Amino acid sequence: MRTLIVLTLLAVLVMAATCYESHESMESHEYLNPFLNRRRANDFIQADTRLRAITQERIRERSKAPQEHQRELCEDYYPCEMYAFRHGYAAAYKHYFGRRRTK
């Protein structure tokens, strides 16, 4: 009986020594919450860089040549795109959108 108590006490001491959580492992914030929220997930990207890129894209969209706008409009309309494959985008745009009248 005495040996059983000594072995149990020894097992508890070994378990306490091997399962001890040190203070260093508790310092990490990931220990408490390993998942990041959506706002903090992209903190490494500078907000100014994203806004600047969006602004530059908007400027590029506004400063397109008229032919580019016509081509994009023609690409969105399937019959115009098929016509453009045979006759070119300028002719296709003129054929489908050049005769528009405004009231």
Side-chain angles (χ1 to χ4, degrees):
M1 186 68 170
R2 183 184 267 180
T3 350
L4 184 60
I5 293 173
V6 171
L7 286 175
T8 306
L9 184 61
L10 187 60
V12 168
L13 288 173
V14 169
M15 186 179 70
T18 57
C19 296
Y20 172 72
E21 287 287 332
S22 67
H23 179 68
E24 287 82 17
S25 66
M26 299 290 273
E27 285 179 354
S28 174
H29 298 290
E30 295 171 357
Y31 177 76
L32 299 173
N33 188 6
F35 301 105
L36 295 174
N37 66 17
R38 291 179 183 174
R39 290 183 184 170
R40 297 221 33 224
N42 291 325
D43 277 349
F44 61 91
I45 297 176
Q46 299 292 330
D48 296 334
T49 307
R50 288 185 292 186
L51 291 176
R52 190 177 314 127
I54 291 170
T55 305
Q56 290 296 325
E57 181 65 26
R58 297 295 176 249
I59 290 171
R60 272 189 240 115
E61 286 177 2
R62 278 189 247 138
S63 62
K64 286 182 182 174
Q67 292 84 6
E68 183 67 23
H69 284 291
Q70 291 175 359
R71 182 179 179 134
E72 288 177 357
L73 187 63
C74 190
E75 285 175 347
D76 290 339
Y77 186 54
Y78 185 74
C80 182
E81 188 176 19
M82 290 296 108
Y83 192 90
F85 285 143
R86 287 184 172 225
H87 304 286
Y89 279 100
Y93 181 83
K94 188 182 290 182
H95 179 77
Y96 284 99
F97 303 106
R99 292 178 278 162
R100 285 191 170 178
R101 295 180 189 158
T102 57
K103 289 185 179 182

